[in-house]
Amino acid sequence: MTAVTSVDPLTSDLVTIDVSISDSVARISAVGEIDSTSAPVLRERLEDVLAGDVQQLVVDLVGVTFLDSAGLCVLAAAHRKAATQGIGMQVLAASRAVIRPLQITGLWSLLGATQVEAAAGAA
């Protein structure tokens, strides 16, 4: 039997973060802009999930329209923490606004990010 848990979305003025957990897979979906004012919202959700009992983490950034260095730092820190805990982490991205910063910084390869169609990320 598959247990599905959904956490109330956490919202700032710029971003909405939704978390769902099914079995040992957590999915964090962000919609909006991730910058220095909204990155702490993403960090909080990632830390909450990584403190739980998950084996796989999917970070869905398909709905993200802007990603700056603060967001990149949050993703890198989450990757480090996940790796030390033996948790697999996958990042999904669709827009150039997210893909380019990840590629330029080398995080695209480090995070094993995947480019998906905008409609596919929410699936």
Side-chain angles (χ1 to χ4, degrees), residues 14 30-31 50 53 60 68 81 95 100 104 106 118:
L14 297 174
V31 175
L50 291 171
D53 187 24
D60 183 344
D68 77 357
K81 186 168 185 174
S95 71
R100 272 316 274 156
I104 289 169

Side-chain angles (χ1 to χ4, degrees), residues 19-28 45-46 48-60 78-79 81-83 85-92 111-114:
V19 177
S20 61
I21 301 171
S22 177
D23 291 330
S24 59
V25 179
R27 183 182 193 97
I28 295 182
R45 281 302 198 210
L46 285 164
D48 289 348
V49 166
L50 291 171
D53 187 24
V54 297
Q55 294 177 357
Q56 182 70 27
L57 171 61
V58 177
V59 182
D60 183 344
H79 176 265
K81 186 168 185 174
Q85 294 177 219
I87 298 171
M89 181 172 161
Q90 179 183 19
V91 175
L92 306 177
L111 299 174
T114 303

Side-chain angles (χ1 to χ4, degrees), residues 7-10 17-19 28 40-50:
V7 179
D8 289 335
L10 191 57
I17 309 288
D18 184 50
V19 177
I28 295 182
V41 177
L42 178 59
R43 177 183 296 114
E44 182 180 331
R45 281 302 198 210
L46 285 164
E47 288 175 354
D48 289 348
V49 166
L50 291 171

